[in-house]
Short mmCIF file of all heavy atoms in Angstrom, two decimals:
data_model
loop_
_atom_site.label_atom_id
_atom_site.label_comp_id
_atom_site.label_asym_id
_atom_site.label_seq_id
_atom_site.Cartn_x
_atom_site.Cartn_y
_atom_site.Cartn_z
N TRP B 55 128.55 47.71 98.26
CA TRP B 55 128.49 48.71 99.33
C TRP B 55 129.47 48.36 100.44
O TRP B 55 130.21 49.21 100.94
CB TRP B 55 127.07 48.77 99.85
CG TRP B 55 126.77 49.84 100.87
CD1 TRP B 55 127.56 50.87 101.26
CD2 TRP B 55 125.57 49.95 101.63
NE1 TRP B 55 126.94 51.62 102.22
CE2 TRP B 55 125.71 51.07 102.47
CE3 TRP B 55 124.40 49.21 101.68
CZ2 TRP B 55 124.72 51.46 103.34
CZ3 TRP B 55 123.41 49.61 102.56
CH2 TRP B 55 123.57 50.74 103.38
N ALA B 56 129.50 47.09 100.83
CA ALA B 56 130.43 46.65 101.87
C ALA B 56 131.88 46.87 101.45
O ALA B 56 132.69 47.37 102.23
CB ALA B 56 130.19 45.18 102.21
N SER B 57 132.20 46.51 100.21
CA SER B 57 133.59 46.67 99.75
C SER B 57 133.97 48.14 99.68
O SER B 57 135.12 48.50 99.99
CB SER B 57 133.80 45.99 98.39
OG SER B 57 133.15 46.68 97.35
N LEU B 58 133.04 49.00 99.31
CA LEU B 58 133.31 50.44 99.28
C LEU B 58 133.62 50.96 100.68
O LEU B 58 134.57 51.72 100.88
CB LEU B 58 132.12 51.19 98.68
CG LEU B 58 132.25 52.72 98.65
CD1 LEU B 58 133.41 53.13 97.74
CD2 LEU B 58 130.95 53.34 98.18
N ARG B 59 132.84 50.54 101.66
CA ARG B 59 133.08 50.98 103.04
C ARG B 59 134.48 50.55 103.51
O ARG B 59 135.18 51.32 104.17
CB ARG B 59 132.00 50.44 103.98
CG ARG B 59 130.63 51.06 103.73
CD ARG B 59 129.62 50.62 104.77
NE ARG B 59 130.00 51.06 106.10
CZ ARG B 59 129.71 52.25 106.63
NH1 ARG B 59 129.06 53.14 105.92
NH2 ARG B 59 130.08 52.54 107.86
N VAL B 60 134.86 49.32 103.18
CA VAL B 60 136.18 48.83 103.58
C VAL B 60 137.27 49.60 102.84
O VAL B 60 138.26 50.01 103.43
CB VAL B 60 136.29 47.30 103.34
CG1 VAL B 60 137.73 46.82 103.45
CG2 VAL B 60 135.39 46.57 104.32
N ARG B 61 137.06 49.80 101.53
CA ARG B 61 138.06 50.52 100.72
C ARG B 61 138.26 51.94 101.26
O ARG B 61 139.38 52.44 101.31
CB ARG B 61 137.61 50.57 99.26
CG ARG B 61 138.60 51.25 98.34
CD ARG B 61 138.20 51.15 96.88
NE ARG B 61 138.44 49.80 96.39
CZ ARG B 61 137.49 48.91 96.11
NH1 ARG B 61 136.22 49.22 96.26
NH2 ARG B 61 137.80 47.72 95.67
N GLN B 62 137.20 52.59 101.67
CA GLN B 62 137.28 53.98 102.14
C GLN B 62 137.64 54.10 103.61
O GLN B 62 137.80 55.20 104.11
CB GLN B 62 135.95 54.69 101.88
CG GLN B 62 135.66 54.90 100.42
CD GLN B 62 134.32 55.59 100.18
OE1 GLN B 62 133.42 55.56 101.00
NE2 GLN B 62 134.21 56.21 99.02
N SER B 63 137.80 52.98 104.29
CA SER B 63 138.03 53.00 105.73
C SER B 63 139.38 53.59 106.13
O SER B 63 139.52 54.10 107.23
CB SER B 63 137.93 51.58 106.30
OG SER B 63 139.04 50.81 105.88
N GLY B 64 140.36 53.46 105.27
CA GLY B 64 141.70 53.91 105.62
C GLY B 64 142.44 52.94 106.53
O GLY B 64 143.56 53.21 106.96
N SER B 65 141.83 51.82 106.80
CA SER B 65 142.45 50.81 107.66
C SER B 65 143.66 50.20 106.96
O SER B 65 143.62 49.94 105.76
CB SER B 65 141.44 49.71 107.98
OG SER B 65 142.09 48.60 108.55
N PRO B 66 144.72 49.94 107.72
CA PRO B 66 145.87 49.27 107.11
C PRO B 66 145.55 47.84 106.67
O PRO B 66 146.26 47.27 105.85
CB PRO B 66 146.93 49.28 108.21
CG PRO B 66 146.20 49.57 109.48
CD PRO B 66 144.94 50.29 109.12
N GLU B 67 144.47 47.27 107.17
CA GLU B 67 144.07 45.91 106.82
C GLU B 67 143.13 45.84 105.62
O GLU B 67 142.73 44.76 105.21
CB GLU B 67 143.38 45.25 108.03
CG GLU B 67 144.32 44.97 109.18
CD GLU B 67 145.43 44.00 108.78
OE1 GLU B 67 145.13 42.97 108.15
OE2 GLU B 67 146.59 44.29 109.09
N HIS B 68 142.78 47.00 105.06
CA HIS B 68 141.76 46.98 104.00
C HIS B 68 142.22 46.22 102.76
O HIS B 68 141.41 45.56 102.10
CB HIS B 68 141.29 48.40 103.65
CG HIS B 68 142.12 49.12 102.66
ND1 HIS B 68 143.29 49.76 103.00
CD2 HIS B 68 141.95 49.29 101.34
CE1 HIS B 68 143.81 50.31 101.92
NE2 HIS B 68 143.02 50.04 100.89
N LYS B 69 143.50 46.24 102.44
CA LYS B 69 143.97 45.53 101.25
C LYS B 69 143.84 44.02 101.42
O LYS B 69 143.43 43.32 100.48
CB LYS B 69 145.41 45.90 100.92
CG LYS B 69 145.53 47.30 100.36
CD LYS B 69 146.94 47.63 99.95
CE LYS B 69 146.98 49.05 99.42
NZ LYS B 69 148.33 49.45 99.03
N ALA B 71 141.66 42.48 103.38
CA ALA B 71 140.23 42.19 103.39
C ALA B 71 139.68 42.23 101.96
O ALA B 71 138.87 41.37 101.59
CB ALA B 71 139.49 43.18 104.27
N LEU B 72 140.12 43.18 101.17
CA LEU B 72 139.64 43.25 99.79
C LEU B 72 140.19 42.11 98.95
O LEU B 72 139.51 41.63 98.03
CB LEU B 72 139.99 44.61 99.18
CG LEU B 72 139.18 45.78 99.73
CD1 LEU B 72 139.70 47.10 99.18
CD2 LEU B 72 137.69 45.63 99.44
N ALA B 115 136.62 39.67 108.30
CA ALA B 115 137.66 40.67 108.02
C ALA B 115 137.04 42.05 107.81
O ALA B 115 137.55 43.05 108.32
CB ALA B 115 138.47 40.26 106.78
N PHE B 116 135.94 42.10 107.09
CA PHE B 116 135.24 43.37 106.88
C PHE B 116 134.74 43.93 108.22
O PHE B 116 134.88 45.12 108.50
CB PHE B 116 134.06 43.19 105.92
CG PHE B 116 134.41 43.26 104.46
CD1 PHE B 116 135.69 42.98 103.99
CD2 PHE B 116 133.44 43.58 103.53
CE1 PHE B 116 136.00 43.04 102.63
CE2 PHE B 116 133.73 43.64 102.18
CZ PHE B 116 135.00 43.38 101.73
N ARG B 118 135.90 43.53 111.21
CA ARG B 118 137.01 44.08 112.02
C ARG B 118 137.39 45.49 111.56
O ARG B 118 137.86 46.30 112.36
CB ARG B 118 138.22 43.16 111.97
CG ARG B 118 138.07 41.91 112.82
CD ARG B 118 139.39 41.18 113.02
NE ARG B 118 139.94 40.66 111.79
CZ ARG B 118 139.69 39.46 111.28
NH1 ARG B 118 138.87 38.64 111.91
NH2 ARG B 118 140.23 39.07 110.15
N ILE B 119 137.18 45.77 110.29
CA ILE B 119 137.52 47.08 109.74
C ILE B 119 136.36 48.05 109.87
O ILE B 119 136.53 49.21 110.25
CB ILE B 119 137.95 46.94 108.26
CG1 ILE B 119 139.26 46.16 108.19
CG2 ILE B 119 138.08 48.31 107.60
CD1 ILE B 119 139.63 45.71 106.80
N ASP B 120 135.16 47.58 109.54
CA ASP B 120 133.97 48.41 109.54
C ASP B 120 132.78 47.50 109.86
O ASP B 120 132.43 46.64 109.05
CB ASP B 120 133.80 49.07 108.15
CG ASP B 120 132.58 49.96 108.07
OD1 ASP B 120 131.45 49.42 108.01
OD2 ASP B 120 132.75 51.18 108.04
N LYS B 121 132.21 47.68 111.02
CA LYS B 121 131.14 46.79 111.47
C LYS B 121 129.99 46.72 110.46
O LYS B 121 129.46 45.64 110.19
CB LYS B 121 130.65 47.20 112.85
CG LYS B 121 131.66 46.89 113.94
CD LYS B 121 131.10 47.18 115.30
CE LYS B 121 132.05 46.91 116.44
NZ LYS B 121 133.39 46.54 116.22
N ALA B 123 130.08 47.13 107.25
CA ALA B 123 130.52 46.36 106.09
C ALA B 123 130.40 44.86 106.36
O ALA B 123 129.96 44.10 105.49
CB ALA B 123 131.95 46.72 105.71
#
Side-chain angles (χ1 to χ4, degrees):
W55 185 10
S57 71
L58 178 63
R59 291 186 63 85
V60 168
R61 182 174 286 108
Q62 292 179 337
S63 71
S65 167
E67 291 298 314
H68 85 279
K69 288 184 181 179
L72 289 173
F116 275 24
R118 284 193 296 270
I119 293 168
D120 180 287
K121 288 185 181 6

